[in-house]
């Protein structure tokens, strides 16, 4: 059984060679953490959450 590779771009500009987690296209490191993609996604979510909080207060 061949496991798919993570393939996320690392800080050094190379694709990650770690095996991806089952049901995810990324490895444990990159599935939601510190990859450029993950950071961008998290910032987006945080911004949305902040907007929601501001709306709820009113
Ligand atoms: Zn990875």
């Amino acid at each position: 059984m061949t496991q798919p590779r993570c393939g996320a771009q690392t800080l050094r500009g190379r694709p990650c060679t770690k095996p991806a987690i089952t049901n995810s296209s990324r490895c444990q490191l990159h599935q939601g953490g510190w990859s450029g993609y993950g950071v961008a996604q998290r910032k987006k979510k945080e911004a949305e959450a902040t907007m929601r909080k501001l709306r709820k207060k009113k």
Side-chain angles (χ1 to χ4, degrees):
M1 186 175 144
T2 51
Q3 198 151 11
R5 298 284 169 181
C6 166
Q9 198 172 38
T10 63
L11 291 176
R12 290 181 184 175
R14 287 190 215 158
C16 177
T17 55
K18 289 188 182 199
I21 292 176
T22 315
N23 294 329
S24 171
S25 59
R26 292 287 179 253
C27 73
Q28 201 163 22
L29 259 178
H30 294 119
Q31 66 171 342
W34 291 101
S35 67
Y37 178 78
V39 170
Q41 289 289 308
R42 196 168 54 197
K43 277 187 183 172
K44 212 177 176 185
K45 275 186 187 172
E46 276 177 11
E48 278 172 12
T50 307
M51 291 291 282
R52 250 177 251 149
K53 273 186 191 172
L54 288 174
R55 271 184 207 163
K56 265 190 183 176
K57 273 187 181 177
K58 267 197 174 177

